[in-house]
Amino acid sequence: MLGQDPIKAGEQLQQFAENLQQKAQRYSALHQRLGSVGVTERSAGGEVTVTVDANGVLTDLELSERTKGMDPAMVSATIMSCLRQAQAKLREQVATLVHETVGDDPAGNNIVNQYAERFPDPVDEDGDDPSLRELSIGRLEDESAERKPEPRRPRPRPLEDEDDDLGGGSILRR
């Protein structure tokens, strides 16, 4: 806190203002550097190339001739895997930029933590890329087999003599 001596208090305020100005300049430089960050990732087989911007948003997607004839689900999984890899690399680049530019600072650490939450490692604990797992529910029916429609069951109708406990009137009227 500021001391009782007005001269020392003035010096402390001046030092505080200078530190604040330096911090603002470092964060301005960080903002500029982050704006130019982008990551490009290519699949192992070269079928897919993705590019993400500083926000992790896909800005470019290239599919090579190798994707022709590939199972569409596999192409999709490869795209998603590359995207996750690019976002994980982006997270690492941002962490490096933050630490180089602003150092160990609570606001800088918050930026790094936000990227870590948004872009976790794409590999699960088994070492498998989750996007390459196939999930299915039930079995696909053979499209060539003729399907017979299920018979419709008639809805039961109340008997006219049946007592409906409403006294024959609407429950909405009094």
Side-chain angles (χ1 to χ4, degrees):
M1 282 267 180
L2 300 176
Q4 297 295 333
D5 183 7
I7 295 175
K8 284 186 179 180
E11 290 172 354
Q12 288 175 336
L13 282 174
Q14 181 67 30
Q15 182 64 40
F16 180 75
E18 288 173 10
N19 289 342
L20 199 56
Q21 182 66 29
Q22 290 172 356
K23 186 181 257 190
Q25 289 172 348
R26 287 193 307 265
Y27 275 96
S28 179
L30 176 63
H31 180 71
Q32 289 176 344
R33 291 178 76 185
L34 286 175
S36 64
V37 171
V39 175
T40 299
E41 181 71 19
R42 184 181 314 267
S43 64
E47 304 89 356
V48 174
T49 304
V50 299
T51 302
V52 296
D53 66 9
N55 294 314
V57 175
L58 181 67
T59 58
D60 191 31
L61 170 63
E62 296 176 24
L63 303 176
S64 76
E65 292 291 321
R66 294 179 184 178
T67 58
K68 285 186 178 179
M70 279 180 69
D71 176 31
M74 191 62 183
V75 174
S76 177
T78 303
I79 292 169
M80 293 307 296
S81 176
C82 284
L83 179 61
R84 289 183 187 107
Q85 290 288 344
Q87 290 169 335
K89 285 183 181 178
L90 171 68
R91 180 195 69 220
E92 294 167 9
Q93 283 187 5
V94 167
T96 300
L97 280 175
V98 167
H99 291 299
E100 287 175 354
T101 309
V102 298
D104 188 19
D105 180 78
N109 292 337
N110 188 38
I111 293 170
V112 171
N113 290 338
Q114 287 177 0
Y115 272 81
E117 287 175 16
R118 286 178 57 204
F119 308 121
D121 284 331
V123 178
D124 66 14
E125 54 279 347
D126 297 327
D128 296 327
D129 185 336
S131 68
L132 298 179
R133 280 190 243 136
E134 184 176 320
L135 302 176
S136 63
I137 299 174
R139 295 185 303 190
L140 293 175
E141 294 183 23
D142 183 11
E143 291 178 15
S144 63
E146 196 174 310
R147 289 184 57 192
K148 294 181 182 177
E150 294 273 332
R152 299 190 106 201
R153 294 183 185 158
R155 293 175 75 187
R157 296 190 177 250
L159 299 174
E160 290 181 24
D161 330 9
E162 194 174 277
D163 186 13
D164 62 6
D165 290 337
L166 297 177
S170 169
I171 62 168
L172 300 176
R173 288 192 221 152
R174 280 178 84 66

